[in-house]
Amino acid sequence: MSSTRSKILSVGTYIPENLWTNDDLKKLMDTSDEWIQQRTGIRQRYWAHESQSTSDLALSASEQAIERAGIEKSKIDLVILATLSPDHEFPGTACFLQAKLGLPGIPALDVRQQCTGFIYGVSIADQFIRTGMYKHVLVVGAEIHSKGLNRTTAGREVSVLFGDGAGAVVMAAVDVRDPAKDSCVISTHLFADGAFAKELWIPAPGSSYPIAARMTHEMIDQGLQWPQMNGKTVFVHAVKRMPEAVLTALEANRLQVSDIDLFVFHQANLRINEMVAKQLGIPAEKVFNTIDRFGNTTAATIPIGLNEAVAAGKLKKGMLVMSAAFGSGFTWASSLIRW
Ligand code: UT7
């Protein structure tokens, strides 16, 4: 007996042109290539042009994904966009993307789960497809961090980590006989713990402040408009939660680490991914990392990783690919996909 499942038809990405090496950052702040590479594994990142917005990056990645899917864009039933760097506070950036795609009328949904946003988006798309409500869903992760970072020495612990970019997938309904063997999204596993929301966040502006204090000069002087991160706490939780999310997916599908062909993890810090792999006994050649080239592109990271893995010949049809992510919220998640 067959069932309706979702399948990733294609991946597309957009990487901005402006390359910033670690040495280039020295023009803006007191840092060093050695510090950044040793602590994070990052060698460079790309930052968008000032004229670009997050929905522009999302549009380019989406157009590539739709073209590679070989479908008319009018087949798309739903647009899901994960980002923590929206074009504007409201409306959602998925609305701007939907308009730029020229798809009036179809629903447009923003996902605000930061580094975990893309997996949350894939999971939402998977549910809509399995129930038969939609047949083709565009899931995008896109970020322009560069315009929202304190790119001075005061903000260096955060600003050296992040890059801009976008990645998109087209997911489609398929008839699957054996979900464990046929090409499809096998399972997704989502988690959050808001008790840690202020470990990595942007405090202001926001509706939590009184009217007169929503955004004040004092707040700007204190830098509350910039991301604030307790790096060590985030690190400690990431190396615990990501392996947990992987094990949850393995147990749900009665699989072992050795059954997985490739791990495409979120890219926040190379040391995090090395520690996750070590704990789970994953050989280094099965972990596909991109952080050295792109830095942390938050919601765009996993689709960019999938795209790069395909281009490098590491991810091929029929393979079992596991993704896991951890980030602000705290949120964390895993997905298991038969490619
Ligand atoms: O996807 C979002 C989730 N985010 C993460 O997963 C990030 C998790 N955390 C991390 O990746 C690491 O904690 C960091 C990379 C952010 C920091 O690495 P660390 O090994 O925890 O660094 P540290 O806190 O031990 O080192 C801090 C020192 C300080 O100097 P002192 O006080 O020891 O003299 C900082 O001022 O390093 C200094 N520092 C820098 N120096 C040069 C901080 N940032 C920089 C910098 N360049 N960019």
Side-chain angles (χ1 to χ4, degrees):
M1 210 182 71
S2 65
S3 59
T4 301
R5 300 295 289 260
S6 72
K7 172 184 169 164
I8 293 184
L9 287 187
S10 61
V11 194
T13 60
Y14 175 79
I15 308 296
E17 283 170 15
N18 297 334
L19 171 67
W20 283 75
T21 65
N22 293 344
D23 280 333
D24 290 334
L25 296 185
K26 290 200 281 191
K27 293 176 214 154
L28 305 175
M29 63 190 83
D30 177 17
T31 189
S32 70
D33 180 48
E34 192 193 6
W35 191 96
I36 300 170
Q37 285 217 43
Q38 271 182 6
R39 306 286 175 129
T40 71
I42 298 168
R43 285 189 295 113
Q44 59 177 51
R45 75 287 293 138
Y46 295 85
W47 281 346
H49 189 269
E50 299 238 17
S51 65
Q52 292 177 303
S53 66
T54 296
S55 63
D56 291 330
L57 274 54
L59 175 67
S60 297
S62 301
E63 286 176 338
Q64 189 177 63
I66 293 168
E67 193 199 323
R68 288 178 176 173
I71 61 162
E72 291 295 321
K73 72 175 179 187
S74 57
K75 294 271 184 206
I76 304 286
D77 301 308
L78 164 67
V79 175
I80 299 175
L81 173 63
T83 187
L84 68 63
S85 47
D87 284 12
H88 300 280
E89 192 159 299
F90 78 86
T93 307
C95 291
F96 291 100
L97 172 62
Q98 185 245 38
K100 286 178 183 176
L101 279 165
L103 293 172
I106 66 165
L109 175 68
D110 273 42
V111 173
R112 298 297 308 267
Q113 268 56 39
Q114 303 69 246
C115 298
T116 316
F118 183 76
I119 300 182
Y120 267 71
V122 165
S123 183
I124 294 165
D126 184 46
Q127 312 313 312
F128 273 124
I129 288 172
R130 283 198 207 199
T131 60
M133 183 148 174
Y134 298 126
K135 286 199 164 31
H136 293 94
V137 182
L138 177 69
V139 183
V140 192
E143 304 287 359
I144 294 188
H145 288 303
S146 54
K147 296 190 209 178
L149 296 170
N150 179 359
R151 304 194 302 184
T152 69
T153 300
R156 65 183 180 175
E157 191 184 356
V158 174
S159 56
V160 301
L161 304 177
F162 291 96
D164 302 340
V169 296
V170 174
M171 291 174 61
V174 283
D175 261 348
V176 163
R177 283 186 191 283
D178 183 349
K181 293 204 178 114
D182 295 342
S183 178
C184 68
V185 174
I186 297 173
S187 65
T188 53
H189 308 271
L190 311 180
F191 307 94
D193 188 346
F196 297 94
K198 295 183 178 178
E199 298 296 335
L200 175 49
W201 67 316
I202 293 182
S207 62
S208 62
Y209 300 97
I211 295 170
R214 183 176 161 84
M215 195 74 222
T216 62
H217 287 290
E218 291 72 30
M219 286 164 129
I220 293 173
D221 292 343
Q222 287 168 38
L224 300 188
Q225 73 278 27
W226 305 123
Q228 325 275 317
M229 178 174 74
N230 188 346
K232 285 198 195 311
T233 304
V234 177
F235 194 106
V236 166
H237 285 261
V239 295
K240 181 168 179 281
R241 296 307 196 178
M242 283 173 65
E244 280 176 13
V246 169
L247 290 173
T248 302
L250 290 174
E251 278 161 26
N253 295 288
R254 297 198 182 90
L255 294 169
Q256 312 283 326
V257 163
S258 56
D259 294 316
I260 307 301
D261 297 303
L262 195 68
F263 292 85
V264 179
F265 291 135
H266 177 58
Q267 306 282 308
N269 187 323
L270 187 62
R271 289 189 294 141
I272 292 178
N273 288 359
E274 287 171 351
M275 287 173 75
V276 170
K278 196 171 165 202
Q279 284 179 65
L280 294 169
I282 306 169
E285 64 272 17
K286 280 196 180 182
V287 182
F288 189 79
N289 288 315
T290 55
I291 192 164
D292 58 327
R293 286 182 290 153
F294 304 120
N296 183 352
T297 56
T298 307
T301 302
I302 288 179
I304 289 174
L306 294 171
N307 185 65
E308 294 296 309
V310 171
K314 301 268 183 196
L315 179 54
K316 298 187 183 119
K317 193 168 163 45
M319 282 185 162
L320 260 187
V321 56
M322 171 84 76
S323 291
F326 178 88
S328 161
F330 288 152
T331 56
W332 62 104
S334 60
S335 65
L336 183 65
I337 295 170
R338 175 74 69 186
W339 201 250

